[in-house]
Amino acid sequence: MNIYSAGNNGEGFDTVERLNAEPVNSAKIRQPLYEARKKIFPKRAEGRFRRFKWIVMLMTLGIYYLTPWIRWDRGPYAPDQAVLIDIAHRRFYFFFIEIWPQEFFYVAGLLVMAGFGLFLLTSAVGRAWCGYTCPQTVWVDLFLVVERAIEGDRNARMKLDTGPWTFTKIRKRVLKHSVWLVIGVLTGGAWIFYFSDAPTLAMQFLTGDAAMIAYYTVATLTATTYVLGGLMREQVCTYMCPWPRIQGAMLDEHSLVVTYNDWRGEQRSRHAKKAIAAGEPIGDCVDCNACVAVCPMGIDIRDGQQMECITCALCIDACDNVMDKLSKPRGLIAYATLSEYESNMALATGNGAHEIRPSNVRKVDGSFVDAIRHFDWHIIFRPRTVFYMTVWCLVGVVMLVSLATRERLSVNVLHDRNPQYVLESDGSIRNGYTVRLLNMIAQPRTITLSLEGLPDAVMKINGVADAPARSFSIDVKPDEVTTLRVFVTLPSGAIGDTSEDFDFKAVDGEYSETAHYRAVFNGPGAKK
């Protein structure tokens, strides 16, 4: 029997329960997997932190773009570019410092210092790196300067974005993106200048004579600068950068972070006079959203600490300006520690017994009660920050001492593996070696290579002298490795049954430098 045939006049249908279910995955209502980006139009801020950001931006961009053009005289045998990563010759030049491949531990030391420096900065003042000196922040700031200059401030840009595609809008957009692309080209161009002589490479690049890798590099960096700094902006910080997720391990209750002090800001009111007349408690926040309008990340700092906050402090400037207009003390949004915030919050709420009461934190005259805690700069010097600073300084001192005392003459020796020795017709034993003299200064030198130990031994160097001797004078080129084929011979009467140790000694009398290398002379009884 068909269950739907019961009751020809519809009896029984009203007894069926209707379940509360929705087709949430229906194509009619299903949302796309990724939500489209909501554009952020940050308003230009004015204040001490904005001025500081201008200074940092000019300094960092100036260092990046101008450094390859700085000259440093190292003499006629070395490049005169102050900072140069010479991959072809495997050298790194930094003003008076020259790093060879075997000295790469200096670069590792710099990376260790950078890491501990970032830990120190974060534990002391939060994500100040992100807010002021991160390349993403600096280039986004630069792109925003261009955008404001062409399209106007926040309201003008929002109106232009939602308006129809008129000739004016097309002209402004084409001009803006063209300038962005030029910045991208300059960014990529500056980068390649660190790897070759800047004036020479610039001329080759413009005339089409540069290596193709230079054009590929500039094209790649142009694209990444344009996309990351102009189009993606805050999404890079939110979704691509790992540091926001790591910073939690670096912060503690004494770290300075940008904080909305709701213990003095709540309750918010747009109509303070009416609220006071009605006897309602009100705080200093007038809910003007100035802090939201200037935020390049598009967040509301009044919602508390958030992963997206880069602590650029522009919201502090915006709020301070509002407080000045209202003749109220600055600091509603300020750098503060969690310890200070919780102490003041406990005072405002009676240790959590009730909601925030402005009367708990203010005197009759409107000033703050004495129990309110304010920032004390001594809190920066605590065990964690002292540890980071100590490690940072220790690594730096070790590197400086090592740089100041390192030898610029070195000798490396490789014994022939097969054969380990040669028995000559007169009964003497000969061992072969590949000797490399490293002249790590940009001047030609004359090096005396001699034997120490094996008093009866003599050596012969291919291409230097025909007659064997215990020492030879070798002319070495500046800033190069000189490779020699050296044969050491012991007469038959002086040969031991096994291996014997001796030294190759390289001496430069003019620069008072000496280098040794302990080598092994193998006899017939040596282990193979």
Side-chain angles (χ1 to χ4, degrees):
M1 178 179 178
N2 191 328
I3 61 173
Y4 296 108
S5 63
N8 293 333
N9 57 358
E11 295 179 1
F13 283 92
D14 56 351
T15 63
V16 178
E17 179 184 2
R18 187 177 190 277
L19 301 179
N20 185 19
E22 296 181 9
V24 294
N25 203 35
S26 171
K28 296 180 180 179
I29 62 173
R30 185 169 59 239
Q31 297 295 318
L33 182 60
Y34 299 104
E35 185 178 3
R37 173 179 178 259
K38 296 180 180 179
K39 295 182 180 180
I40 299 174
F41 301 91
K43 179 180 175 62
R44 179 172 178 172
E46 297 289 346
R48 63 187 190 277
F49 291 107
R50 178 65 267 183
R51 288 192 294 271
F52 181 67
K53 281 175 66 68
W54 288 132
I55 295 172
V56 172
M57 185 182 77
L58 291 175
M59 290 179 58
T60 51
L61 290 176
I63 291 172
Y64 176 74
Y65 286 116
L66 299 179
T67 296
W69 300 93
I70 301 175
R71 302 293 98 183
W72 188 269
D73 185 14
R74 300 186 181 91
Y77 302 102
D80 64 348
Q81 187 163 308
V83 179
L84 177 65
I85 304 171
D86 190 353
I87 294 179
H89 299 92
R90 295 182 295 177
R91 302 287 188 275
F92 171 54
Y93 298 94
F94 185 81
F95 293 93
F96 62 91
I97 299 173
E98 178 184 351
I99 303 297
W100 281 51
Q102 66 271 22
E103 297 175 316
F104 194 78
F105 58 85
Y106 288 114
V107 178
L110 287 175
L111 293 176
V112 171
M113 291 185 67
F116 275 93
L118 189 57
F119 297 160
L120 171 64
L121 190 67
T122 303
S123 62
V125 291
R127 289 174 62 187
W129 160 262
C130 300
Y132 298 97
T133 55
C134 173
Q136 175 67 14
T137 298
V138 172
W139 262 266
V140 167
D141 264 358
L142 179 60
F143 277 37
L144 281 173
V145 169
V146 174
E147 186 172 271
R148 290 192 186 101
I150 296 173
E151 298 183 353
D153 205 358
R154 183 173 185 267
N155 291 337
R157 300 202 308 277
M158 293 175 65
K159 183 178 179 180
L160 184 69
D161 186 69
T162 57
W165 283 92
T166 61
F167 174 77
T168 300
K169 180 175 181 176
I170 294 174
R171 176 179 59 83
K172 289 183 177 181
R173 287 294 169 88
V174 170
L175 179 59
K176 178 183 73 172
H177 288 276
S178 298
V179 176
W180 283 358
L181 287 172
V182 169
I183 294 173
V185 172
L186 294 176
T187 302
W191 177 257
I192 64 174
F193 292 153
Y194 283 91
F195 297 87
S196 184
D197 182 65
T200 303
L201 181 56
M203 186 59 65
Q204 293 174 343
F205 191 89
L206 294 175
T207 58
D209 296 328
M212 285 305 299
I213 187 61
Y215 296 100
Y216 292 147
T217 302
V218 171
T220 300
L221 291 179
T222 298
T224 53
T225 304
Y226 172 77
V227 172
L228 299 183
L231 304 181
M232 295 186 67
R233 294 185 180 177
E234 78 287 343
Q235 291 185 308
V236 175
C237 305
T238 303
Y239 300 112
M240 296 176 62
C241 181
W243 188 239
R245 294 156 180 83
I246 298 174
Q247 67 160 344
M250 299 292 104
L251 299 174
D252 57 30
E253 66 274 15
H254 301 299
S255 300
L256 276 175
V257 291
V258 175
T259 305
Y260 168 63
N261 293 309
D262 49 0
W263 53 266
R264 61 165 283 195
E266 301 296 326
Q267 301 293 325
R268 308 175 197 174
S269 175
R270 293 288 297 162
H271 307 285
K273 293 182 179 179
K274 293 182 179 180
I276 293 175
E280 299 175 0
I282 62 168
D284 288 344
C285 181
V286 295
D287 204 18
C288 63
N289 282 338
C291 55
V292 180
V294 300
C295 180
M297 297 299 295
I299 64 172
D300 188 343
I301 192 64
R302 296 172 296 180
D303 294 336
Q305 282 299 307
Q306 298 154 74
M307 181 189 71
E308 293 81 3
C309 179
I310 60 173
T311 63
C312 63
L314 296 182
C315 54
I316 297 179
D317 283 339
C319 188
D320 283 350
N321 291 335
V322 174
M323 293 297 104
D324 290 344
K325 293 178 182 179
L326 299 176
S327 299
K328 293 184 178 182
R330 293 184 170 192
L332 177 57
I333 301 176
Y335 274 105
T337 67
L338 178 62
S339 176
E340 296 166 6
Y341 171 81
E342 289 183 339
S343 175
N344 294 337
M345 195 65 176
L347 184 63
T349 61
N351 290 319
H354 49 73
E355 63 180 11
I356 296 173
R357 292 178 181 174
S359 58
N360 286 14
V361 297
R362 290 190 183 276
K363 299 178 182 177
V364 178
D365 60 1
S367 61
F368 294 116
V369 298
D370 296 336
I372 289 293
R373 286 184 57 187
H374 299 283
F375 171 67
D376 181 4
W377 63 271
H378 292 91
I379 200 66
I380 294 177
F381 300 98
R382 58 188 190 276
R384 169 180 281 194
T385 57
V386 170
F387 170 75
Y388 290 147
M389 177 60 76
T390 302
V391 174
W392 189 85
C393 291
L394 181 62
V395 174
V397 169
V398 169
M399 289 179 59
L400 287 175
V401 172
S402 178
L403 281 170
T405 59
R406 64 179 178 164
E407 296 289 342
R408 306 315 291 152
L409 174 65
S410 181
V411 57
N412 291 325
V413 179
L414 180 64
H415 193 291
D416 290 351
R417 297 185 63 184
N418 189 21
Q420 291 194 1
Y421 67 91
V422 174
L423 180 63
E424 297 188 328
S425 58
D426 61 354
S428 60
I429 297 294
R430 186 186 74 193
N431 280 205
Y433 303 87
T434 299
V435 178
R436 293 185 176 88
L437 298 175
L438 283 70
N439 176 21
M440 293 183 281
I441 65 172
Q443 295 292 333
R445 295 206 270 187
T446 298
I447 305 299
T448 300
L449 181 66
S450 59
L451 300 176
E452 280 194 348
L454 297 179
D456 298 318
V458 293
M459 65 177 172
K460 182 178 179 181
I461 304 177
N462 285 353
V464 175
D466 295 330
R470 285 189 63 82
S471 67
F472 292 92
S473 293
I474 313 295
D475 292 328
V476 296
K477 295 181 180 180
D479 208 32
E480 286 191 14
V481 178
T482 300
T483 302
L484 306 171
R485 282 293 294 156
V486 180
F487 298 97
V488 179
T489 303
L490 267 177
S492 58
I495 300 172
D497 292 335
T498 59
S499 303
E500 293 189 42
D501 294 338
F502 71 101
D503 285 345
F504 282 101
K505 181 180 179 181
V507 178
D508 178 11
E510 181 179 357
Y511 289 91
S512 301
E513 286 190 287
T514 302
H516 292 83
Y517 191 94
R518 177 56 59 93
V520 175
F521 187 91
N522 290 327
K527 293 183 180 181
K528 298 183 179 179

